[in-house]
Amino acid sequence: MELPLVVGVDGSPGSLTALDWAVDEAARHDVRLRVLYASLWERYEGRLPPADGPSPETLAEEAVTVAAARRAQQRDPALRVHADTAPEEAVNALVEASRHAFFLVTGPSGRGALAGILLGSVSLAVAGRAHCPVVVVRGDDVAVGGGHGRVLLGVGDAEEAPAAVRFAFREAAARGCEVRALRAWRHPVRQSVDHYPLPSGATLDAEERAGRELDDALRPEAERHPEVVVHAVTVEGAPRKALVEASADADLLVVGAVRRHHGLGLQLGRVSHAALHHARCPVAVVPAP
């Protein structure tokens, strides 16, 4: 059974940008688009309809859904679009939808006072809990519009890398663009003169090891997608900083995430958090199986 690409909308400017991005992405992969609006009003007011018809709140919620579906269909008349409203809190509705999704798309923030400053709580929570890859659409018009011709891939530990690598190569193949794969490494010992690391055998070993690990992680998908041009890069330093800086000329940043089943709070690591908050292009968080 074909899984739909799911996009969460709420009528905010950010969610409309995410909707447009999702329309183009669904067409690119030839999958259905499900437009989902989560509304608690239907739960509270759905017991018995008012005698004089639907409440103003319910009509407003329906208007958001109808307008989003119309916008998607106008952007791509050939696209198969289904729109519905879930009578649930947004995070729960989107996480539940992620169980049966090609992947899930959201905007960076909602309609609150802090919209656009940092990632909204809904998108952050969904990225940490979803059962499928989540793309948070952020960045300038060039990046959102795919103007750079590049997918940026952060290659992390062996546990999280394979799923992220597959996702990145699939995206690059569908877009007809290149992959820039980045793996960060650190100096084993920071002996320095005026804060400049001295070269050493351990340093060279660490750099070479990072290169080998990067090549090993990329090889299966590079062989599966020979049409995709790959630039493999190793950099010394914190991976989150390197990826955020490199996102300035990328159309999509792909990072992996390992599920953590113990303790409270979100399941995302520091690299995913930094990418979601600060990247200058759309970000895909791909959970390891």
Side-chain angles (χ1 to χ4, degrees), residues 177-195:
C177 72
E178 68 180 33
V179 168
R180 184 185 184 201
L182 187 151
R183 182 171 177 83
W185 61 278
R186 304 304 297 265
H187 288 276
V189 178
R190 281 194 171 272
Q191 296 176 337
S192 64
V193 175
D194 293 333
H195 307 290

Side-chain angles (χ1 to χ4, degrees), residues 267-285:
Q267 301 171 337
L268 300 174
R270 289 180 294 177
V271 173
S272 298
H273 268 279
L276 289 168
H277 281 296
H278 303 295
R280 296 166 66 180
C281 68
V283 178
V285 177

Side-chain angles (χ1 to χ4, degrees), residues 237-253:
R240 57 189 183 276
K241 179 180 179 182
L243 288 171
V244 168
E245 291 177 351
S247 71
D249 58 359
D251 301 321
L252 180 68
L253 167 56

Side-chain angles (χ1 to χ4, degrees), residues 109-118:
S109 56
R111 292 173 291 188
L114 296 179
I117 297 177
L118 286 175

Side-chain angles (χ1 to χ4, degrees), residues 12 64 111 137 250 267:
S12 67
V64 170
R111 292 173 291 188
V137 180
Q267 301 171 337

Side-chain angles (χ1 to χ4, degrees), residues 120-210:
S121 59
V122 170
S123 295
L124 186 60
V126 170
R129 292 172 49 192
H131 302 275
C132 68
V134 174
V135 175
V136 176
V137 180
R138 57 179 302 131
D140 60 23
D141 292 342
V142 177
V144 172
H148 296 293
R150 179 179 298 112
V151 171
L152 175 62
L153 167 64
V155 178
D157 296 334
E159 184 179 3
E160 67 181 36
V165 172
R166 284 194 298 271
F167 187 95
F169 272 82
R170 185 183 70 184
E171 277 299 306
R175 293 163 177 259
C177 72
E178 68 180 33
V179 168
R180 184 185 184 201
L182 187 151
R183 182 171 177 83
W185 61 278
R186 304 304 297 265
H187 288 276
V189 178
R190 281 194 171 272
Q191 296 176 337
S192 64
V193 175
D194 293 333
H195 307 290
Y196 186 82
L198 292 174
S200 67
T203 294
L204 295 176
D205 288 346
E207 185 175 12
E208 291 175 358
R209 182 168 59 253

